[in-house]
Amino acid sequence: MAIPASFEGRLKLPLVSAPMFLVSGPELVIETCKSGVVGTFPALNERSSEGFESWLEEINGALAEAENPAPFGVNLIVHQTNLRMKQDLELCVKHKVPLVITSLGAVKEVVDAVHSYGGLVFHDVTNIRHAEKAIEAGVDGLIAVCAGAGGHAGTLSPFALVSEIRQIFDGTILLAGCMSSGKDIATARMLGADMAYIGTRFINTAESRAVEEYKDMIIDSSAKDIVYTPKISGIPANFLKPSLADAGRDVDTGEVKKVDLGDEMKAPKDGASAWKSIWSAGQGVGSIQDKPPVAELIDTMRQEYREAAAQFADQSAPFVAE
């Protein structure tokens, strides 16, 4: 097990609140970190690099006044289509962002830039080939994005992916996919992960930037309402079927339907409006029934984690005794 030394004494749970497009903002990050959990957000949630820098200043300022907060992190899309990547990375270096989460590309130059000021780099992976490339780039942690995770997800079981990563990597391993409770976090550690990586559960918090209709749809949904498709972003991801239907998409494939006059008002007019109306979530939605403040949610998770650990110890005792 390898939780980073820079996290020690600052976490109340071995947990990262995942960066979520159009959902994670400074409010969610600040409250998450103040509650003892790593809070993160995508750099592209702010429309410009200037705005991104103002968010970094806001977060750093608020956490400087908090008592022993958890570190925060920024998600950078390391892909040729992200024209802001270089400038946003420079701002991460300038403001010494404690954690940078890279997606869609593990690049040694990015890792070296973050390491230059003592920051950490975690990288999203969905298979062992991606993990090997990230290890070669020198990342500090690997996020095993398994079947059922919200957003861009893989198809592998956590039993398979975490085990295979652990055989070749002694850094921090995080597990993503279908987790919503403290018991789930304890289970992730039982599987061999160092930390859990949870997104969908944090959509339904008071500090989330998700609209109320999005949050209500999560409450009304279960695993059967999640569809895995590459037809939205070009990369396979999990989405809420009702949001696909509302956007004029086929609920089983994500394909754009042939629009007639009756459908026209539902069809997305452009990419921006499509992302505002097509909502991502993981298969764990069936366990989400409320929209609490972050601090309350994390308190509940901590109690669930303690109870799960104690229960497992009691149930395991007959089988581990000599």
Side-chain angles (χ1 to χ4, degrees), residues 52-71:
F52 170 54
E53 182 169 27
S54 72
W55 279 18
L56 293 178
E57 292 170 345
E58 178 182 354
I59 293 168
N60 272 323
L63 296 184
E65 297 177 357
E67 183 179 352
N68 194 33

Side-chain angles (χ1 to χ4, degrees), residues 1 6 17 33 52 73 117 177 203 206-207 224 242 252:
M1 297 288 180
S6 59
S17 172
C33 293
F52 170 54
Y117 61 86
I203 296 173
E207 293 84 358
K224 66 179 175 57
D252 293 315

Side-chain angles (χ1 to χ4, degrees), residues 44-181:
L44 295 178
N45 272 8
E46 236 302 336
R47 294 192 175 188
S48 67
S49 290
E50 292 77 16
F52 170 54
E53 182 169 27
S54 72
W55 279 18
L56 293 178
E57 292 170 345
E58 178 182 354
I59 293 168
N60 272 323
L63 296 184
E65 297 177 357
E67 183 179 352
N68 194 33
F72 79 96
V74 167
N75 176 220
L76 294 181
I77 304 299
V78 184
H79 191 270
Q80 60 186 3
T81 58
N82 180 12
L83 302 181
R84 278 177 43 187
M85 204 283 293
K86 181 179 179 181
Q87 187 173 358
D88 289 350
L89 174 60
E90 291 174 351
L91 290 172
C92 288
V93 175
K94 175 182 176 181
H95 292 277
K96 297 183 178 180
V97 173
L99 170 65
V100 171
I101 298 168
T102 53
S103 303
L104 303 183
V107 179
K108 187 176 187 302
E109 289 74 18
V110 173
V111 175
D112 289 345
V114 177
H115 283 174
S116 71
Y117 61 86
L120 299 173
V121 178
F122 292 171
H123 185 70
D124 288 340
V125 300
T126 58
N127 56 53
I128 202 67
R129 180 174 62 86
H130 292 161
E132 289 169 343
K133 289 184 176 181
I135 292 169
E136 290 177 6
V139 302
D140 305 283
L142 293 173
I143 304 163
V145 186
C146 294
H152 296 140
T155 59
L156 292 177
S157 161
F159 287 93
L161 188 53
V162 171
S163 175
E164 290 190 12
I165 291 174
R166 183 59 76 189
Q167 293 176 43
I168 62 173
F169 184 60
D170 59 4
T172 304
I173 297 178
L174 300 92
L175 176 60
C178 304
M179 292 178 289
S180 299
S181 69

Side-chain angles (χ1 to χ4, degrees), residues 296-309:
E296 180 181 318
L297 173 62
I298 293 174
D299 280 345
T300 299
M301 285 180 163
R302 292 183 68 200
Q303 181 61 28
E304 293 168 340
Y305 185 90
R306 286 193 292 266
E307 291 174 356

